[in-house]
Amino acid sequence: MIEAIEVTKSFGDVAALDGVNVSVPEGSIHGLLGHNGAGKTTLVNIFSTLLEPTAGTARIRGLDVTAEPQKVRRCIGLTGQFASVDEQLSGRDNLVLIARLLGASKRQARTRVDELLELFDLSDAAGRPVSQYSGGMRRRLDIAASLVGSPQVIFLDEPTTGLDPTSRLGVWEIVKRLAKDGVSVLLTTQYLEEADRLCDRITLLSKGRVIAEGTPGELKADVGQRMVTVTLPTQTEVPGAVKALEDSGIRAIPQESGTTISVPVTASADLAAIVRTLNEARTEITELGFSEPTLDDVYLRLTREPTGKSVPA
Ligand SMILES: Nc1ncnc2c1ncn2[C@@H]1O[C@H](COP(=O)(O)OP(=O)(O)O)[C@@H](O)[C@H]1O
Ligand SMILES: [Mg+2]
């Protein structure tokens, strides 16, 4: 349905994408997960014919995006990270405008727009100018706008970035419903939790390369379902504590900054082992907590394998 084969995109010296492979079956939600600058928007732009790949092939429903961009455009919906509805127009007028641009009659446009306003819980606000919408309403309108043409494939570029938790849940519900209706969704996100909740499969991008691919369960199993976070009094104690843990065969991941170490755990006995090991190493623990793995944990795990024999800095 959505397919990238060895897609590369260079901007001068910058390789925004470097031999990326992605394959999304019909009716599924695929997550493109990665930090700022990973190449997510570039790939979405290639799929949606806004950019041409430097090398490789991208296809939507078997249509090559470079060879048949017009046909591709007819079956996709795109919601950009910086989506473009008209602030001065009402929500309804924005959607009607798009429907008319796509060739709908006035009557068809009205029917489709009413349907979408209802679906996105925007009926009450439909007559108000978009400039008065909240962030969540605005984002729902953006997604509605990309669905006016009833596309079989939709791209959502960071659909929940900047939204409050309630609005985020609203967007998640919408995305799930789309997939249920058979729409294939490619969604980009910086949040592991979001990819975990929504996606059938995830492609993890780092600096333009695919560094992992799999179901959310597979990716998280790799970092441990849960983490124990150990906070030490000062940062200087971190390397020693990491070494003590790793010498005892416990994988320990120092967080980028601060005094916290993450330890993936599988069994509750692990918690006792962590405390015992640090106790024996005479390391004071100021705080002990549980946390779900974050994108950072997955990255650290995949890009920096602790050896268990590392010498403290
Ligand atoms: N038009 C462009 N010109 C030059 N560099 C670009 C352009 N678009 C993106 N890049 C670079 O490509 C890399 C990937 O960017 P992008 O796809 O926007 O990442 P993401 O969406 O994951 O944050 C970044 O290093 C970015 O600076
Ligand atoms: Mg982006």
Side-chain angles (χ1 to χ4, degrees):
M1 204 68 187
I2 307 172
E3 191 179 29
I5 303 157
E6 293 295 319
V7 166
T8 294
K9 179 69 189 180
S10 307
F11 296 105
D13 291 344
V14 181
L17 296 172
D18 188 2
V20 167
N21 293 295
V22 171
S23 176
V24 184
E26 186 171 348
S28 74
I29 309 177
H30 195 94
L32 215 51
L33 181 62
H35 284 310
N36 247 334
K40 304 183 296 298
T41 299
T42 302
L43 187 56
V44 166
N45 285 346
I46 287 172
F47 279 132
S48 45
T49 75
L50 301 174
L51 278 178
E52 285 196 8
T54 311
T57 308
R59 292 197 202 102
I60 306 292
R61 310 188 88 206
L63 300 165
D64 188 301
V65 296
T66 316
E68 306 188 272
Q70 308 289 354
K71 282 188 186 166
V72 168
R73 267 171 232 150
R74 248 172 268 146
C75 60
I76 64 171
L78 169 69
T79 300
Q81 201 173 343
F82 307 101
S84 50
V85 291
D86 190 314
E87 294 274 338
Q88 310 308 319
L89 292 180
S90 70
R92 180 190 302 279
D93 288 348
N94 265 292
L95 297 183
V96 168
L97 188 67
I98 295 167
R100 298 285 282 153
L101 283 172
L102 290 173
S105 69
K106 268 187 188 164
R107 193 204 179 103
Q108 287 168 331
R110 201 177 320 131
T111 308
R112 178 70 182 143
V113 168
D114 282 344
E115 210 173 83
L116 287 168
L117 290 169
E118 182 71 35
L119 181 67
F120 287 80
D121 199 16
L122 288 168
S123 300
D124 291 345
R128 276 194 265 146
V130 173
S131 55
Q132 294 174 13
Y133 281 20
S134 69
M137 290 161 72
R138 173 69 196 258
R139 203 65 61 90
R140 296 206 298 278
L141 182 69
D142 286 340
I143 300 177
S146 67
L147 292 175
V148 169
S150 307
Q152 296 102 344
V153 174
I154 178 167
F155 301 104
L156 301 172
D157 196 5
E158 302 202 19
T160 67
T161 295
L163 291 188
D164 60 77
T166 313
S167 306
R168 174 169 294 176
L169 282 176
V171 170
W172 288 357
E173 285 312 311
I174 287 163
V175 174
K176 282 188 204 157
R177 202 169 332 154
L178 287 175
K180 226 190 223 165
D181 292 344
V183 177
S184 309
V185 181
L186 182 73
L187 154 135
T188 81
T189 181
Q190 302 193 35
Y191 309 113
L192 181 62
E193 190 204 356
E194 178 161 289
D196 182 20
R197 293 282 186 91
L198 287 180
C199 300
D200 299 304
R201 296 187 77 83
I202 298 171
T203 296
L204 189 56
L205 277 182
S206 174
K207 301 187 183 112
R209 288 172 190 261
V210 175
I211 60 168
E213 204 274 338
T215 65
E218 284 164 357
L219 287 187
K220 285 206 309 184
D222 215 34
V223 275
Q225 284 297 319
R226 303 188 84 188
M227 293 274 180
V228 164
T229 54
V230 182
T231 306
L232 306 178
T234 66
Q235 205 164 351
T236 49
E237 281 140 303
V238 170
V242 168
K243 181 175 178 352
L245 289 166
E246 293 195 340
D247 284 348
S248 312
I250 299 168
R251 200 169 79 225
I253 305 166
Q255 294 305 284
E256 286 292 279
S257 60
T259 57
T260 302
I261 300 168
S262 292
V263 183
V265 289
T266 44
S268 57
D270 293 352
L271 184 58
I274 293 163
V275 174
R276 185 166 1 96
T277 302
L278 291 178
N279 214 354
E280 280 163 10
R282 305 196 182 287
T283 305
E284 193 191 330
I285 300 171
T286 53
E287 209 179 301
L288 199 59
F290 271 111
S291 72
E292 296 297 323
T294 65
L295 178 55
D296 283 322
D297 297 322
V298 180
Y299 269 114
L300 283 167
R301 171 84 176 103
L302 290 168
T303 56
R304 179 152 55 91
E305 285 274 350
T307 59
K309 294 183 200 71
S310 58
V311 180

